[in-house]
């Protein structure tokens, strides 16, 4: 028999928890939900656009009543279904109308109550809050016949209410007790710009005002408001938006430990182990909550414990805010108040209405306020959460991500202006309207949701920035993709780094050991985590861990690139791009012998035989092996090519032997598995004919030695490499190349090329490890050589001559 | 009526792996899961004919090698928001011997 879970509160946090629970343990509980509002579950955030008329109630439903039925959830919704008592000994909850249910586990998700300042007259008819559908209905109703509206509170909610009431045709005055609007999110200059812009739209403000009383007529309807300073203002409707208080009356009544909110630990459990709590009603390590992003994280953690997986922990995280007033762009995140240790970088263009302030401490972003141009908000926010060292990009920081030469995100500037039919995801042919419609109609919140539903950004990922921007535009601050801890895949909540650390500290030696250690939701993982963990194990335990070919994608398993028609391509290595007549003859012979339809010179200075049948692979490899050639690993997350130019051997400008150097580097590095593919190049002079500055590791010869570059990429997002250092001897080039390879092998995330890796950890860090610390560099280099001992067996020869995995190339049975 | 043909031994297929049986109607991929259950699917992805036998097997699913659709080994249905279905074949184990209904 399944246990019973009872949820009190049919709001955003409670139902998100239920959704998360259904995803991972759909049959574990019989679920009953009590909600004091007479609807299914709706997106409270979107009440603002409902008030302005931009959305309807139907459009903001997350789960309508049929959803509850489809998922076998009993919903008791309505004012008389408010839970009024709990017997914790007998484990029953009772609603106002007497409905009573037993529970095994209870979830408190009662949200919060709007705070009403007890001015004289606060209980008059027409004084309301802005919290639920009923409040919005009242506002729209009053606006039909009345004129004067007052909003008390110049915060996020107050301004959205004011804007909505104005859109409904009322004259609205916002009363704020300070000089600075949205003082929790904005600094004085940006707040002033906001005030001016809202005034231009028709709102009135009364700043730093002290309210004396709210006045009404004989029948108890509000009529006006009076101030300490004298002067009254007429009012038919007063909306108080001065903050919320966790709704803990019931919890207190039944003896649950509360302070400002219901106390919960890192697993969202209250002091009563059978009772959990999530959302705005909780207090976690001294924090209470008012935005959905942290609540969704709580929901995930809580579901994990309700499902008895017992592995997730909630940690408070930074939140970012956007104001949902159409046409006003405003973004704020983190701590933007300056102190003696912090520095402010400010950009101000009052004429264009743009203000940007980024607060920096110890080369990390601490907070940001953007007004007018908020495109880079999520970028700053991500760097803030990741603790990215920004010293290298400091001079360009305020010009935005697009100015870093990052072609994949350049378009972000324009994304909101793009036409509906603009193609966002080139791989899957998804256009802007597909994404925007899916977000609205399927209530999608995260990048993963959008990937699932539309396939946008699900392939090469270069459009991720654009898709994130569309989600952010559609959802405002509700968008919570930019989590600090990106889990490796959906089998677990743990990140790449956490898994890597556990592999070494807990001596985990197999995928099974990892999946058990972290209680993966599916024991043999999926196509995302298996290859990643296989790589981590291989990198951590060279010579000990045995590569698991079943955890490799086809190209790496078969050591050839699969083609669209399920044939394969074969690319033999040509050291440093050099070849010989004998090799060319052998390639020509093989091409004829196996009827290879296409022979092509690749962009990597070697020859590709395309269209080989799978069963011919071992034979063609054998022929190439016999002529002295080995696999070019053109298929792997491994060393690809070391491109060279002719250099001093022939070229009139060449300063060093770039071909020789390239061959030496390739002989050292070939065969190694890496987080993602690695390309190297050596140019003989700064004319740089080998394009060394768009390679993962690049070497440019100069008269006095060799310049070394790292982190270049010539692919989807072109990135020019960073100058690492200059060395004078060939031995140093080799040592740096090996050390760089190993550092990347040990620290890069699976599928993360060196360019994004360096952007993540910062060039300074790479320099610290490789240049400033000779011992560390030598350590990396020698670990690389050690692991290469086990890596430099030609995989083609193993299969063609040593019988490895032969069954992979022959049918199990032929039936005629 | 289907006609059971012996096609090989369980140990001929690696765990979490697949081998193909070639027939006049095309290739059939035989999969072996972690717990030694055996499944048979037409070796063609409903998306663009990727050879499912070359994919990564996890749980009772296979991820297609070409564009990573995830196909159920049980009923051949594409998972998630992808739609499409691959034909399944009956297959059974008698001890270690594998029989395919063709
Ligand atoms: C054969 C070749 C094209 C050619 O005919 O010249 C090629 C072919 C493929 N490239 Fe490439 N790339 C080839 C040089 C390049 C280059 C140029 C270079 O290496 O100098 C680049 C840009 C440089 C770079 O990587 O920084 C390049 C950037 C990519 C990318 C984008 C990588 C990125 O980080 O942005 C991909 C996609 C990926 O890896 O995810 C890719 C992926 C592919 C794949 C493997 C796509 C796939 O998964 O099936 C192609 C296999 C084709 C096939 O049917 O076998 N290929 N590819 C080149 C092989 C070079 C070699 O000898 O090994
Ligand atoms: C107009 C508006 C705009 C907002 N905009 C944003 C935004 O842009 N970004 C953002 O991140 N956040 C925004 N928020 C805040 C966000 O909506 C809340 O953080 C979130 O809804 C809190 O979720 P919750 O589940 O804790 O509470 P709620 O969603 O309030 O759910 C609690 C539910 O419990 C019910 N309940 C309470 N007690 C009982 C009982 N005893 N028995 C039965 N039912 C009970 C209540 O009726 C309510 O339905 C906005 C809020 C409002 C009102
Ligand atoms: S070879 Fe490279 S650029 Fe050409 S189609 Fe394939 S992946 Fe695209
Ligand atoms: S052919 Fe299988 S996913 Fe495209």
């Amino acid at each position: 028999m399944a246990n019973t879970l009872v949820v009190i509160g049919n709001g955003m946090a409670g139902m998100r928890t239920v959704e998360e629970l259904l995803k991972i343990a759909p049959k574990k509980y019989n679920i009953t939900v009590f909600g004091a509002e007479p609807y299914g579950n709706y997106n409270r955030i979107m009440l603002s656009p409902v008030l302005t008329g931009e959305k309807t109630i139907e459009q903001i439903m997350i789960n309508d009543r049929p959803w509850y039925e489809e998922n076998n959830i009993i919903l008791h919704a309505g004012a008389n279904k408010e839970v009024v008592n709990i017997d914790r000994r007998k484990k029953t909850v009772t609603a106002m109308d007497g409905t009573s249910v037993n529970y095994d586990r209870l979830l408190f998700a009662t949200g919060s109550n709007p705070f009403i300042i007890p001015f004289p007259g606060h209980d008059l008819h027409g004084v309301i809050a802005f919290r639920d559908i009923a409040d919005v209905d009242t506002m729209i109703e009053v606006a039909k016949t009345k004129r004067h509206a007052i909003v008390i509170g110049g915060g996020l909610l107050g301004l959205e209410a004011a804007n909505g009431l104005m859109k409904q045709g009322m004259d609205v005055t916002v009363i704020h007790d300070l000089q600075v609007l949205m003082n929790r999110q904005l600094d004085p200059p940006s707040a002033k710009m906001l005030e001016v812009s809202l005034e231009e739209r028709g709102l009135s403000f009364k700043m730093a005002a002290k309210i004396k009383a709210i006045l009404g007529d004989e029948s108890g309807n509000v009529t006006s408001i009076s101030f300490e300073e004298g002067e009254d203002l007429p009012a038919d409707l007063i909306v108080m938006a001065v903050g919320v208080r966790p709704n803990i009356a019931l919890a207190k009544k039944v003896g649950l430990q509360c302070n400002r909110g219901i106390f919960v630990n890192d697993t969202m459990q209250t002091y009563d182990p059978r009772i959990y709590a999530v959302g705005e009603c909780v207090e976690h390590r001294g924090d209470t909550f008012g935005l959905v992003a942290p609540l969704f994280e709580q929901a995930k953690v809580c579901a994990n414990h309700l499902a008895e997986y017992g592995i997730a922990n909630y940690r408070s995280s930074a939140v970012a805010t956007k104001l949902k007033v159409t046409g006003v762009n405003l973004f704020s995140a983190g701590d933007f108040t300056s102190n003696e240790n912090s520095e402010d970088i400010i950009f101000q263009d009052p004429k264009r209405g743009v203000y940007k302030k980024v607060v920096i401490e110890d080369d990390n972003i601490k907070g940001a306020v953007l007004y007018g141009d908020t495109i880079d908000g999520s970028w700053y926010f991500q760097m803030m959460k990741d603790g990215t060292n920004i010293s290298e990009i400091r001079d360009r920081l305020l010009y935005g991500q697009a100015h870093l030469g990052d072609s994949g995100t350049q378009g972000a500037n324009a994304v909101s202006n793009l036409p509906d039919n603009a193609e966002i995801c080139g791989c899957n042919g998804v256009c802007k309207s597909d994404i925007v419609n899916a977000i609205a109609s399927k209530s999608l919140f995260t990048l993963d949701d959008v990937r699932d539903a539309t396939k946008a950004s699900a392939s090469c990922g270069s459009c991720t920035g654009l898709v994130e921007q569309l989600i952010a535009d559609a959802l405002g601050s509700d968008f919570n993709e930019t989590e600090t801890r990106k889990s490796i895949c959906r089998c677990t909540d743990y990140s790449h780094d956490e898994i890597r650390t556990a592999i070494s500290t807990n001596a985990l030696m197999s995928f099974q050991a990892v999946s058990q250690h972290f209680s993966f939701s599916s024991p043999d993982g999926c196509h995302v985590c298996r290859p990643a963990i296989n790589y981590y194990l291989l990198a951590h335990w060279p010579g000990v861990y045995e590569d698991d070919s079943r955890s490799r994608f086809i190209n790496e398993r078969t050591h050839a690139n699969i083609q669209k028609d399920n044939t394969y391509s074969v690319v033999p290595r040509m050291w440093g791009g050099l070849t010989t007549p004998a090799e060319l003859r052998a390639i020509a012979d093989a091409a004829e012998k196996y009827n290879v339809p296409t022979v092509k010179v690749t962009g990597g200075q070697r020859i590709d035989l395309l269209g080989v049948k799978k069963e011919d692979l071992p034979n063609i490899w054998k022929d190439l092996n016999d002529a002295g050639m080995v696999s070019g690993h053109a298929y792997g997350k491994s060393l690809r090519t070391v491109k060279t130019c002719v250099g001093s051997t022939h070229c009139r400008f060449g300063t060093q032997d770039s071909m020789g150097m390239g061959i030496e580097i390739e002989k050292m590095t070939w065969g190694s598995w890496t987080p993602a593919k690695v390309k190297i190049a050596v140019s003989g002079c700064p004319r740089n004919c080998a394009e060394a500055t768009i390679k993962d590791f690049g070497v440019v010869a100069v008269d006095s030695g060799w310049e070394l570059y790292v982190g270049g990429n010539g692919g989807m997002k072109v990135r020019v490499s960073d100058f690492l250092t200059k060395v004078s001897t060939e031995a140093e080039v080799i040592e740096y190349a090996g050390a760089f390879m190993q550092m990347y092998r040990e620290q890069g995330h699976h599928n993360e090329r060196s360019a994004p890796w360096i952007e993540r950890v910062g060039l300074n860090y790479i320099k610290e490890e490789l240049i400033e610390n000779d011992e560390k560099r030598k350590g990396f280099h020698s670990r690389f050589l050690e692991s290469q001992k086990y890596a430099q067996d030609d995989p083609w020869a193993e299969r063609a001559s040593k019988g490895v995995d032969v069954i992979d190339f022959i049918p199990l049975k032929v039936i005629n | 009526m289907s006609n059971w043909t012996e096609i090989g031994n369980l140990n001929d297929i690696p765990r979490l792996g697949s081998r193909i049986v070639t027939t006049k109607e095309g290739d059939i991929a035989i999969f072996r899961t972690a717990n030694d259950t055996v499944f048979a699917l037409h070796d063609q992805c409903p998306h663009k004919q990727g050879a499912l036998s070359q994919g990564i097997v996890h749980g009772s699913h296979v991820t297609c090698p070409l564009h990573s659709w995830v196909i159920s080994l049980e009923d051949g249905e594409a998972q998630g928001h992808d739609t499409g279905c691959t034909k399944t074949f009956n297959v059974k184990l008698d001890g270690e011997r594998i029989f395919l209904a063709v």
Side-chain angles (χ1 to χ4, degrees):
Chain A
M1 256 280 296
N3 285 332
T4 301
L5 170 69
V6 172
V7 183
I8 308 179
N10 192 24
M12 298 195 71
M15 283 315 100
R16 184 60 169 233
T17 310
V18 169
E19 286 177 25
E20 294 283 356
L21 181 64
L22 292 176
K23 263 197 244 167
I24 56 174
K27 303 207 174 81
K28 184 148 184 79
Y29 292 99
N30 296 319
I31 303 176
T32 299
V33 177
F34 285 90
E37 294 186 70
Y39 324 95
N41 164 234
Y42 61 93
N43 188 347
R44 193 173 302 285
I45 295 178
M46 288 293 156
L47 287 177
S48 301
V50 171
L51 180 60
T52 57
E54 290 162 272
K55 287 233 177 335
T56 64
I57 295 290
E58 293 72 53
Q59 285 171 334
I60 69 163
M61 290 311 290
I62 302 174
N63 295 310
D64 52 11
R65 284 179 180 258
W67 177 85
Y68 291 81
E69 280 159 34
E70 282 156 26
N71 288 287
N72 297 318
I73 298 170
I74 301 171
L75 173 63
H76 297 292
N80 58 351
K81 299 291 185 182
E82 181 184 331
V83 173
V84 289
N85 211 352
I86 302 171
D87 184 329
R88 283 166 52 201
R89 210 172 36 81
K90 293 202 190 119
K91 293 185 280 169
T92 52
V93 300
T94 311
M96 199 181 279
D97 68 349
T99 313
S100 172
V101 180
N102 281 319
Y103 64 84
D104 297 295
R105 289 277 181 284
L106 182 64
L107 176 63
F108 258 90
T110 49
S112 51
N113 292 321
F115 184 57
I116 301 286
I117 308 175
F119 298 120
H122 70 270
D123 45 6
L124 284 165
H125 198 68
V127 181
I128 63 167
F130 183 22
R131 179 73 193 176
D132 53 26
I133 292 182
D135 294 330
V136 174
D137 285 345
T138 308
M139 290 191 232
I140 294 176
E141 210 40 52
V142 174
K144 283 184 185 149
T145 53
K146 301 282 172 51
R147 225 178 105 203
H148 299 291
I150 299 250
V151 173
I152 304 179
L156 191 84
L157 209 58
L159 295 182
E160 290 186 7
N163 178 58
L165 289 167
M166 181 174 73
K167 288 273 154 63
Q168 294 293 342
M170 298 189 84
D171 286 344
V172 187
T173 305
V174 176
I175 298 170
H176 195 47
D177 57 351
L178 301 172
Q179 281 296 1
V180 180
L181 284 180
M182 288 182 65
N183 46 295
R184 283 165 62 188
Q185 289 89 13
L186 299 184
D187 62 347
S190 53
K192 196 68 207 169
M193 291 174 91
L194 174 66
E195 188 184 330
V196 170
S197 140
L198 292 173
E199 259 171 355
E200 279 167 7
R201 285 156 186 269
L203 284 182
S204 304
F205 289 94
K206 199 167 163 52
M207 305 296 281
K210 291 203 172 54
I211 296 168
K212 194 158 91 193
I214 299 171
L215 310 173
D217 59 17
E218 314 77 63
S219 40
N221 290 322
V222 60
T223 53
S224 64
I225 189 164
S226 71
F227 297 91
E228 300 281 350
E229 302 88 276
E231 200 201 353
D232 284 6
L233 279 179
D236 304 310
L237 176 72
I238 294 184
V239 178
M240 259 204 237
V242 291
V244 295
R245 299 284 179 272
N247 179 1
I248 57 173
L250 176 63
K252 266 190 164 158
K253 171 174 162 185
V254 302
L256 279 184
Q257 238 70 332
C258 298
N259 181 32
R260 278 186 300 155
I262 306 171
F263 274 127
V264 290
N265 63 20
D266 289 354
T267 69
M268 308 316 293
Q269 199 176 36
T270 68
Y271 274 65
D272 178 337
R274 291 183 177 277
I275 305 184
Y276 287 77
V278 289
E280 287 188 344
C281 60
V282 309
E283 178 169 336
H284 172 263
R285 295 183 181 241
D287 288 337
T288 55
F289 303 89
L291 292 170
V292 294
L295 311 189
F296 287 174
E297 285 177 37
Q298 293 173 0
K300 217 171 176 173
V301 172
C302 185
N304 186 293
H305 288 277
L306 286 171
E308 290 176 9
Y309 286 173
I311 45 166
N313 275 328
Y314 177 69
R315 295 171 221 157
S316 309
S317 52
V319 288
T321 331
K322 273 187 156 192
L323 180 69
K324 299 191 299 300
V325 170
T326 307
V328 175
N329 292 320
L330 184 156
F331 172 92
S332 140
D335 181 359
F336 50 84
T337 49
S338 330
N339 62 36
E340 67 273 19
N341 300 323
S342 68
E343 311 152 80
D344 301 348
I345 306 188
I346 294 174
F347 173 93
Q348 206 162 2
D349 182 348
K351 189 134 181 244
R352 274 200 306 136
V354 174
Y355 173 86
K356 303 180 184 184
K357 168 168 164 182
V358 176
V359 181
I360 293 172
E361 202 172 304
D362 296 332
D363 287 334
N364 289 318
I365 297 182
K366 253 183 63 200
V369 182
L370 309 178
Y371 185 85
D373 174 0
T374 54
I375 290 300
D376 288 301
S378 46
W379 182 52
Y380 296 135
F381 189 46
Q382 187 63 46
M383 290 195 288
M384 182 177 121
K385 290 178 143 196
D386 290 349
T388 307
N389 183 312
I390 53 88
S391 55
E392 291 294 323
I393 52 169
R394 193 186 161 108
D395 54 339
R396 286 155 293 164
L397 194 61
L398 284 197
Y399 298 114
Q401 195 172 17
H403 284 261
L404 293 181
D406 181 340
S407 68
T409 39
Q410 223 151 40
N413 289 340
V415 69
S416 39
N417 303 329
L418 288 176
D420 281 352
N421 60 1
E423 185 174 81
I424 301 289
C425 173
C427 295
N428 295 299
V430 188
C431 66
K432 177 177 164 184
S433 62
D434 298 336
I435 299 172
V436 173
N437 293 343
I439 293 171
S441 66
K442 300 184 179 158
S443 301
L444 308 178
F445 283 106
T446 67
L447 184 62
D448 267 345
D449 291 346
V450 174
R451 282 185 179 146
D452 271 359
T454 65
K455 279 282 177 290
S457 137
S459 298
C460 82
S462 70
C463 62
T464 303
L466 297 179
V467 176
E468 286 184 332
Q469 196 63 39
L470 286 174
I471 304 174
D473 282 357
L475 298 181
S477 59
D478 182 17
F479 174 51
N480 75 343
E481 179 51 31
T482 36
E483 293 168 50
T484 328
R485 306 171 58 246
K486 281 204 172 126
S487 64
I488 183 165
C489 70
R490 283 180 219 179
C491 301
T492 177
D493 280 341
Y494 288 89
S495 65
H496 288 268
D497 289 330
E498 285 166 321
I499 289 174
R500 282 201 106 156
T501 310
I503 286 176
S504 74
T505 52
N506 299 309
L508 306 176
M509 297 278 194
S510 66
F511 180 85
Q512 284 66 32
V514 175
S515 99
Q516 271 163 23
H517 183 82
F518 288 106
S519 307
F520 275 28
S521 59
S522 87
D524 36 279
C526 69
H527 63 271
V528 180
C529 58
R530 280 244 303 280
I533 290 169
N534 184 55
Y535 167 71
Y536 294 146
L537 289 165
L538 204 66
H540 272 287
W541 310 114
V544 177
Y545 173 71
E546 196 172 329
D547 191 12
D548 172 25
S549 66
R550 302 295 144 199
S551 294
R552 288 196 177 269
F553 282 105
I554 179 62
N555 286 358
E556 295 187 346
R557 187 176 344 121
T558 310
H559 295 277
N561 270 310
I562 197 166
Q563 309 293 306
K564 58 192 279 195
D565 61 355
N566 295 313
T567 62
Y568 292 83
S569 71
V570 169
V571 187
R573 207 164 271 293
M574 287 183 173
W575 307 99
L578 275 82
T579 183
T580 61
E583 282 183 353
L584 291 173
R585 213 170 278 128
I587 291 174
D589 288 344
E592 280 180 354
K593 181 166 164 193
Y594 299 100
N595 293 318
V596 172
T598 307
V599 180
K600 182 179 182 303
V601 175
T602 73
Q605 298 189 335
R606 44 202 194 166
I607 292 176
D608 196 347
L609 303 166
L610 294 128
V612 182
K613 289 194 245 4
K614 189 175 188 190
E615 55 272 25
D616 285 339
L617 286 175
N619 297 327
I620 194 169
W621 292 341
K622 172 95 180 36
D623 291 3
L624 296 169
N625 279 160
D626 288 347
M629 284 175 273
V630 296
S631 165
H633 292 84
Y635 45 78
K637 297 192 191 306
S638 55
L639 179 88
R640 295 287 179 90
T641 55
V642 179
K643 227 166 144 166
T644 67
C645 72
V646 282
S648 60
T649 323
H650 298 281
C651 176
R652 64 193 162 122
F653 295 117
T655 61
Q656 312 277 354
D657 175 12
S658 48
M659 289 191 292
M661 175 58 83
I663 293 172
E664 205 181 323
I665 295 178
E666 191 163 355
K667 294 259 172 176
M668 171 178 70
T669 49
W670 79 278
S672 73
W673 295 110
T674 42
K677 60 189 169 191
V678 172
K679 299 178 176 184
I680 297 179
V682 185
S683 284
C685 85
R687 287 169 195 75
N688 193 13
C689 297
E691 301 167 324
T693 44
I694 48 162
K695 297 293 180 252
D696 298 83
F697 188 83
V699 182
V700 177
V702 290
D703 225 24
S704 52
W706 311 84
E707 289 177 353
L708 307 181
Y709 293 84
V710 294
N713 189 314
M716 296 178 276
K717 295 184 181 182
V718 177
R719 181 179 194 273
V720 173
S721 53
D722 295 309
F723 175 68
L724 181 71
T725 187
K726 195 186 134 196
V727 298
S728 42
T729 66
E730 296 188 6
E732 285 171 293
V733 178
I734 293 292
E735 182 174 301
Y736 271 97
F740 176 77
M741 285 289 282
Q742 186 64 10
M743 185 178 174
Y744 171 54
R745 294 183 74 234
E746 290 176 7
Q747 301 182 11
H749 293 168
H750 189 249
N751 226 349
E752 174 184 53
R753 279 193 72 178
S754 69
W757 170 58
I758 287 179
E759 291 197 345
R760 180 163 62 80
V761 301
L763 180 65
N764 276 354
Y765 169 66
I766 309 262
K767 285 184 170 165
E768 275 164 30
E769 300 280 291
L770 294 184
I771 304 177
E772 285 151 33
N773 195 324
D774 291 342
E775 221 143 280
K776 275 201 173 156
R777 180 180 66 249
K778 289 185 192 309
F780 278 123
H781 182 229
S782 70
R783 287 203 294 286
F784 183 64
L785 294 183
E786 173 63 20
S787 77
Q788 284 297 79
K789 283 190 199 156
Y790 308 97
Q792 292 192 329
D793 287 325
D794 176 31
W796 286 357
E798 291 183 328
R799 282 156 187 79
S801 317
K802 299 188 199 149
V804 175
D805 290 340
V806 269
I807 57 167
D808 268 357
F809 300 91
I810 45 176
L812 179 61
K813 175 137 184 125
V814 178
I815 301 177
N816 291 311
Chain B
M1 263 314 291
S2 57
N3 163 3
W4 291 108
T5 309
E6 182 168 356
I7 52 168
N9 198 284
L10 185 61
N11 289 327
D12 295 335
I13 308 175
R15 282 219 173 101
L16 296 175
S18 168
R19 300 279 304 276
I20 54 165
V21 171
T22 61
T23 74
K24 280 197 293 288
E25 285 82 49
D27 293 352
I28 299 172
I30 315 293
F31 298 91
R32 175 177 174 190
T33 66
N35 55 14
D36 290 345
T37 315
V38 177
F39 295 100
L41 294 183
H42 185 38
D43 194 20
Q44 273 197 4
C45 177
H47 178 219
K48 292 189 176 172
Q49 288 82 49
L52 296 173
S53 57
Q54 313 300 308
I56 290 186
V57 181
H58 47 97
S60 52
H61 295 99
V62 59
T63 300
C64 176
L66 291 197
H67 318 95
S68 294
W69 280 28
V70 177
I71 310 293
S72 163
L73 298 176
E74 280 161 2
D75 55 15
E77 290 283 352
Q79 303 295 293
H81 292 268
D82 296 323
T83 43
C85 186
T86 291
K87 188 174 172 206
T88 61
F89 294 85
N90 287 327
V91 53
K92 67 175 181 188
L93 277 177
D94 179 0
E96 300 269 282
R97 294 155 69 205
I98 312 172
F99 290 86
L100 176 69
V102 276

